[in-house]
């Protein structure tokens, strides 16, 4: 099966799996690196090694015709910053690997809410691409448990490994899976997380702050400390009785800052000043 692929480094395992299963890549679409979520150095390096054409600009309708002329049969979307153009006039198939157990968790980045909303099962879904995001008929899915102490980074790794397992099944039984795909029905759309959801409020209990730190991880939480806005990559919190005012800095050691919250303390040990200041 000849395929084009869209993605970034989070989708490297899926890309490798399809190639190892005998699928032949004709083009890679990605986007310029903006932040951690769009990092693509490893994926681009693999494409360069295999002499696969690479496009980092937005996919246009004309690209679909080019893919058709290149013999592409399947467009495989791992992740992508832009809407996919209409594909049905140019390609026989187009599928998306969405990092949620659809129809729950439609939207651009549902993993954060998987942790914030205390889900205990999660997964990745392969579905047909339709005009409305993440609504196409489902070919297959791969599910797994979410731990009580799940973090953004651990969930991301679990999803990458699950994508490899799911991708292998899809590669080996694609036509049957496509023909047997089942409609999703009603679903839940989760918009991209907001700045408020990322913001740590120290008048909140430890449990809430711990959950935010786990859910956002390297995506970074936001906090106001000593009248300065910072972005937090790593930290931890624990319950402990105290008489400090919530939000006050009670201890500093190197880059680690300990702040009182309503029922304990929050230690921020990997952070930087917000670039907006």
């Amino acid at each position: 099966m000849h395929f084009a692929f869209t993605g970034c480094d989070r989708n490297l395992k899926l890309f490798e799996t399809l190639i190892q299963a005998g699928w032949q890549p004709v083009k890679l679409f990605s986007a310029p690196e903006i932040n951690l979520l769009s990092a693509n150095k490893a994926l681009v390096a693999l494409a360069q090694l295999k002499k696969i054409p690479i496009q980092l600009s937005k996919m246009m309708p004309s690209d679909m015709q080019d893919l058709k002329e290149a013999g592409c049969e399947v467009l495989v979307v791992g992740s992508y910053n832009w809407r996919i153009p209409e594909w049905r006039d140019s390609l026989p198939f187009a599928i998306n690997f969405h990092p949620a157990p659809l129809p729950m968790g439609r939207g651009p980045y549902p993993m954060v809410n998987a942790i914030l909303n205390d889900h205990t099962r999660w997964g990745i879904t392969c579905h047909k691409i339709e005009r409305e995001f993440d609504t196409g008929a489902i070919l297959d899915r791969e599910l797994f448990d979410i731990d009580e102490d799940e973090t953004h980074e651990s969930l991301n790794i679990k999803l990458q490994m699950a994508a490899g397992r799911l991708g292998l099944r899809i590669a080996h039984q694609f036509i049957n899976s496509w023909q047997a795909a089942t409609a999703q029905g009603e679903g839940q759309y989760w918009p991209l997380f907001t700045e408020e959801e990322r913001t740590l409020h120290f008048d909140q209990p430890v449990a809430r702050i711990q959950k935010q730190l786990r859910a956002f991880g390297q995506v970074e939480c936001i906090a106001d400390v000593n009248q300065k806005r910072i972005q937090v990559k790593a930290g931890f919190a624990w319950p402990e009785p105290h008489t400090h005012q919530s939000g006050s800095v009670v201890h500093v050691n190197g880059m680690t800052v300990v702040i009182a919250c309503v029922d304990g303390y929050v230690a921020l040990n990997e952070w930087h000043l917000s670039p907006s200041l």
Side-chain angles (χ1 to χ4, degrees), residues 5-16 28 30-31 33 35-46 79 156-157 160:
F5 190 82
T6 80
C8 59
D9 284 353
R10 289 181 286 119
N11 314 116
L12 179 62
K13 178 66 174 179
L14 174 59
F15 188 53
E16 291 174 329
L28 170 67
S30 190
E33 289 191 9
N35 52 36
L36 176 76
L37 300 184
S38 58
N40 63 6
K41 288 184 175 63
L43 185 64
V44 168
L46 178 60
S79 60
N156 196 5
I157 291 298
Q160 292 174 31

Side-chain angles (χ1 to χ4, degrees), residues 10 81 90 160 171 199 213 229:
R10 289 181 286 119
N81 289 12
S90 303
Q160 292 174 31
T199 301
L213 290 168
R229 174 146 289 199

Side-chain angles (χ1 to χ4, degrees), residues 98-217:
H98 185 70
L102 293 174
M104 178 179 65
R106 294 172 181 164
Y109 202 75
M111 296 85 80
V112 166
N113 279 333
I115 296 174
L116 289 179
N117 296 336
D118 299 314
H119 287 273
T120 58
R121 290 278 286 171
W122 203 246
I124 185 165
T125 305
C126 178
H127 68 90
K128 297 181 180 181
I129 293 179
E130 299 292 351
R131 187 63 183 170
E132 295 299 319
F133 289 121
D134 309 324
T135 60
I138 293 173
L139 280 70
D140 198 356
R141 57 163 65 89
E142 180 76 11
L143 303 177
F144 53 83
D145 291 335
I146 290 184
D147 297 331
E148 290 184 2
D149 60 350
E150 200 75 64
T151 67
H152 175 271
E153 282 63 50
S154 65
L155 182 54
N156 196 5
I157 291 298
K158 286 183 177 181
L159 281 165
Q160 292 174 31
M161 295 176 67
R165 297 191 297 270
L166 179 57
L168 188 63
R169 290 203 303 273
I170 293 294
H172 287 317
Q173 54 192 35
F174 178 71
I175 298 299
N176 288 340
S177 296
W178 179 272
Q179 293 174 344
T182 57
Q184 291 190 35
E186 293 296 321
Q188 299 177 13
Y189 181 85
W190 296 354
L192 186 65
F193 51 81
T194 65
E195 183 171 304
E196 173 59 25
E197 288 174 315
R198 293 172 60 201
T199 301
L200 305 177
H201 294 289
F202 299 111
D203 59 354
Q204 295 291 308
V206 161
R208 171 62 183 173
I209 295 172
Q210 285 175 323
K211 188 181 296 184
Q212 288 176 281
L213 290 168
R214 289 190 292 106
F216 288 98

Side-chain angles (χ1 to χ4, degrees), residues 43-77:
L43 185 64
V44 168
L46 178 60
Q48 291 173 332
L49 180 67
K50 293 184 174 294
K51 303 186 186 308
I52 301 166
I54 301 166
Q55 180 172 320
L56 300 182
S57 58
K58 183 179 180 179
M59 186 189 301
M60 305 301 291
S62 59
D63 292 313
M64 290 297 173
Q65 182 61 33
D66 291 343
L67 290 178
K68 178 180 180 180
E69 293 174 0
C72 181
E73 299 163 274
V74 188
L75 174 63
V76 179
V77 175

